[in-house]
Amino acid sequence: MSPTEWLLATPLQAPNKLVPIDTAFVVLALVVLLPAVRRWRDRAAWRRVAWRAGIALAGAGLVLVACWFTTSVVDLFGVALSPVTQMWSAFAGAALALAVTGIVHGGGWRRALAIVLVPAALVVPALGINVEFAKYPTLGTVVQSDPYPTYHAGARSTAHPTPGGPFATATPTMPGSGQIVSADIPGTRSGFHPRPAVMYLPPAALVPDPQPLPVVIAFSGQPGAPSDLFTAGQLATPLDEYARAHGGRAPIVVSVDQLSSPGLNTMCVDSRLGNVDTYVTQDVPAWILANTPATTDRKAWGLTGFSQGATCTMQFLSGHPGDFGAALAVSSELQPIDQGPRHSADQAFGGSIARWQAAAPIALMRKNGLGGHSVWLVAGSVDGEFTANARELGAAATAAGARVSVSSAPGSGHDWNTVQWAFRTDVTPFCDALFAAHS
């Protein structure tokens, strides 16, 4: 491993690294705050400590007010910030305010340490928030939006094809794990301009003349990128485990770009923001069938996604029930939404609230039915809003004829910890359902 590879592989959530960093951050802040040891009996020095502490508390307070305003007043993020995230944000505000006082009014050594405190006040709280959201497992996932090699159709392993049925025993030369690759899937019919997709090919797809396999189309959250489900969501781990238990066979998973840019919420419909419905239901399947050993049996095609991607998952399942047989949705909204009903309607539904309401998964379930489909709905146990969404969507899907599982990831919120738990828990029955449909 080269020094660059070693650096990019540095874990960002390991306690043995974070605890020393957090301790050093606290010590640095205290040294900037407190008087020099030789002046501990000096009342004037302690008055300056009280002044610096007051400025720091004011900085923390301003940040907490900003957190409240952005989530409770303007709903900038679409979800509430957790207490842990608000705590780390307050620490950042306090440390930055303390650093400013040290730089402006400190002596030589205090000014130098205060300058060091500025980047520490940004980096250390960011690491703490990252533990809460589990977004970036390594440094590489921060600096590389798509760390995977480009896919070349037909460039597969020289191993022998797996004989027998869908759960046949793997040959000794079959790869022991799947491959994650990047692939350009053009918007040929839709005219949509996506970023490259990220695809998981199970071992059984990496041999000459592979047998047809089920397919899962996947979606990141918003903001996000197609690679997120594999970097932050760690989706390849349960897929590889499934493949090892089933003769190298698992679904082909294609995480596509339904956004076109990280912050754009297309709401997964055809609109002036992009013809995403046509892209996902026509362009993507056509490319998958032409370039991978995918089954043509659409009952063995599934969908999965997180947050905005979960909402898209439920929209496509309920809007196109003939094209997909199962869905695993993590923290789905009840409705495609961008800021609010009026803004959503104006952005993607020609200003029509009625059209916006008709695009809701529950409205589509009632219209189209979900007989014979399987649905897994997951939300974090401390994510009250999305837990309620999962239950409501589950009740509607059950009424529409689907087999439904609703579960809560213990102790997590609207974050990637919930996604990882959902994949560890539900990928196996989800894959089983697709293979059962395929057989």
Side-chain angles (χ1 to χ4, degrees), residues 37-95:
V37 174
R38 68 179 183 276
R39 303 196 66 183
W40 275 39
R41 296 181 180 275
D42 187 340
R43 291 185 178 179
W46 283 102
R47 284 195 293 271
R48 287 191 289 274
V49 169
W51 180 77
R52 288 193 291 270
I55 296 294
L57 289 173
L62 285 174
V63 169
L64 290 175
V65 169
C67 289
W68 167 80
F69 181 80
T70 56
T71 57
S72 299
V73 178
V74 299
D75 194 22
L76 182 62
F77 307 111
V79 295
L81 296 179
S82 72
V84 172
T85 296
Q86 293 187 59
M87 176 195 74
W88 279 113
S89 299
F91 283 165

Side-chain angles (χ1 to χ4, degrees), residues 7-243:
L7 184 63
L8 292 176
T10 301
L12 299 182
Q13 299 172 22
N16 63 340
K17 289 182 171 60
L18 293 179
V19 171
I21 290 173
D22 292 346
T23 301
F25 173 63
V26 171
V27 170
L28 177 61
L30 288 174
V31 172
V32 174
L33 173 66
L34 296 174
V37 174
R38 68 179 183 276
R39 303 196 66 183
W40 275 39
R41 296 181 180 275
D42 187 340
R43 291 185 178 179
W46 283 102
R47 284 195 293 271
R48 287 191 289 274
V49 169
W51 180 77
R52 288 193 291 270
I55 296 294
L57 289 173
L62 285 174
V63 169
L64 290 175
V65 169
C67 289
W68 167 80
F69 181 80
T70 56
T71 57
S72 299
V73 178
V74 299
D75 194 22
L76 182 62
F77 307 111
V79 295
L81 296 179
S82 72
V84 172
T85 296
Q86 293 187 59
M87 176 195 74
W88 279 113
S89 299
F91 283 165
L96 285 171
L98 178 60
V100 169
T101 63
I103 292 170
V104 174
H105 294 290
W109 66 268
R110 194 184 305 277
R111 185 173 289 114
L113 291 175
I115 291 172
V116 176
L117 184 58
V118 172
L122 298 174
V123 172
V124 176
L127 290 172
I129 292 172
N130 183 54
V131 172
E132 172 78 354
F133 282 94
K135 169 74 170 177
Y136 301 107
T138 66
L139 181 60
T141 58
V142 178
V143 300
Q144 296 175 301
S145 61
D146 185 353
Y148 303 111
T150 301
Y151 175 63
H152 299 287
R156 301 192 180 106
S157 167
T158 57
H160 298 294
T162 303
F167 294 153
T169 302
T171 64
T173 53
M174 179 180 285
S177 60
Q179 184 180 18
I180 306 174
V181 293
S182 177
D184 287 312
I185 304 180
T188 305
R189 301 177 186 175
S190 64
F192 187 61
H193 299 287
R195 295 166 292 174
V198 175
M199 177 168 60
Y200 170 87
L201 294 166
L206 303 173
V207 297
D209 301 318
Q211 298 173 9
L213 294 166
V215 173
V216 175
I217 297 177
F219 310 97
S220 72
Q222 180 266 330
S227 60
D228 289 350
L229 291 177
F230 294 97
T231 55
Q234 301 177 21
L235 177 54
T237 299
L239 288 171
D240 276 342
E241 291 174 354
Y242 188 89

